[in-house]
Amino acid sequence: MANQIHPTAVVDPGAKLGDNVTIGPYAIIESDTEIGDGTRIDAFAQIKRYTSMGANNVIHSNALIGGEPQDMKFKDADTRVVMGDNNIIREFVTVHRGTPEGRGETRIGSGCMIMAYAHVAHDCVLHDHAILVNCVMLAGHVDIGSHAVVSGMTGVHQFTRIGDYAFIGGMSGVSLDVPPYIHATGVRGALRGLNLIGLRRAGIDRASIKALKQAYTTIFRSGMGRKEALAEAEEVLGDVPEVMKMIEFIRSSERGVHSDIGMRNGDKDS
């Protein structure tokens, strides 16, 4: 189908539009942009230069995609925002480009939802089907795993990782890594067990969930040192892929991992 572009929209001749693209009133599409087939861009939205997105995305009114990073060192550079397919970007969301010192791009996978007023800073990565609820604030270089949910009004510190299927409760402050499958919430993002609702919705079988519960207890609630606990969990449950994903995530953490709410004052991280 032919593209539908409102007469008040501003579309630079250097923009590359796919088929069946809809662009609403007063929207702005700058040069050096790529808009995939079937994408809808609503009134007053802005797609800044060096942005590319795949098919069937919906960009709601007043969202801004591809703004320059809020980094004092940044000088105009060909860094990018890259977005996959079937994403929903709600009102007043801001997504900023990468930096030369970082990944060089901010990347949003496919099937993500970013709700109103959320901010995705430079060099962040959102993997497929991640959800950011209203007013989530991601600092630079944050990595959000696939199917992870970050609830409203949560702030995430720069360089932090949140693993696949993790769930972050509302109004939290996340300053350390949160492993896959885990629920964390609070001012400093304490771990509170598994994200059981998310695991069940994802179709994770009962045996794997039981193994994850056992691994979580060993790693975060046994009182063992972290290295010892990880080795114990791997020896007993290492044949469960979800458990190994959790173990490998924790071992690869550079910032460190949040502690369990019940072990906060006595967790040993040796």
Side-chain angles (χ1 to χ4, degrees), residues 7-115:
T8 62
V10 179
V11 180
D12 192 279
K16 297 180 181 178
L17 305 183
D19 296 328
N20 195 28
V21 171
T22 301
I23 301 176
Y26 302 101
I28 298 174
I29 315 296
E30 294 188 351
S31 62
D32 298 307
T33 54
E34 297 182 20
I35 312 296
D37 296 348
T39 291
R40 189 186 90 206
I41 298 171
D42 285 348
F44 296 100
Q46 293 190 52
I47 310 300
K48 308 290 283 184
R49 63 178 181 158
Y50 304 134
T51 297
S52 60
M53 63 181 71
N56 302 312
N57 293 288
V58 179
I59 313 299
H60 284 258
S61 297
N62 296 289
L64 187 149
I65 312 298
E68 293 186 357
Q70 297 176 135
D71 185 330
M72 295 293 290
K73 303 185 299 298
F74 184 80
K75 307 299 180 184
D76 190 26
D78 183 2
T79 58
R80 310 194 68 80
V81 169
V82 179
M83 185 184 303
D85 306 325
N86 301 304
N87 296 292
I88 299 173
I89 310 297
R90 295 304 304 244
E91 298 83 359
F92 294 97
V93 164
T94 52
V95 179
H96 289 175
R97 288 155 46 196
T99 61
E101 297 83 9
R103 296 182 171 101
E105 65 181 28
T106 299
R107 179 172 289 273
I108 297 172
S110 295
C112 299
M113 175 181 275
I114 306 178
M115 299 187 194

Side-chain angles (χ1 to χ4, degrees), residues 65 113 121 125 131-132 154 163 166 195 213 220 243-244 246 251:
I65 312 298
M113 175 181 275
V125 175
I131 296 175
L132 305 184
T154 290
N195 176 21
K213 286 181 178 180
F220 294 106
V243 171
M244 281 309 302
M246 181 191 294
R251 282 178 173 158

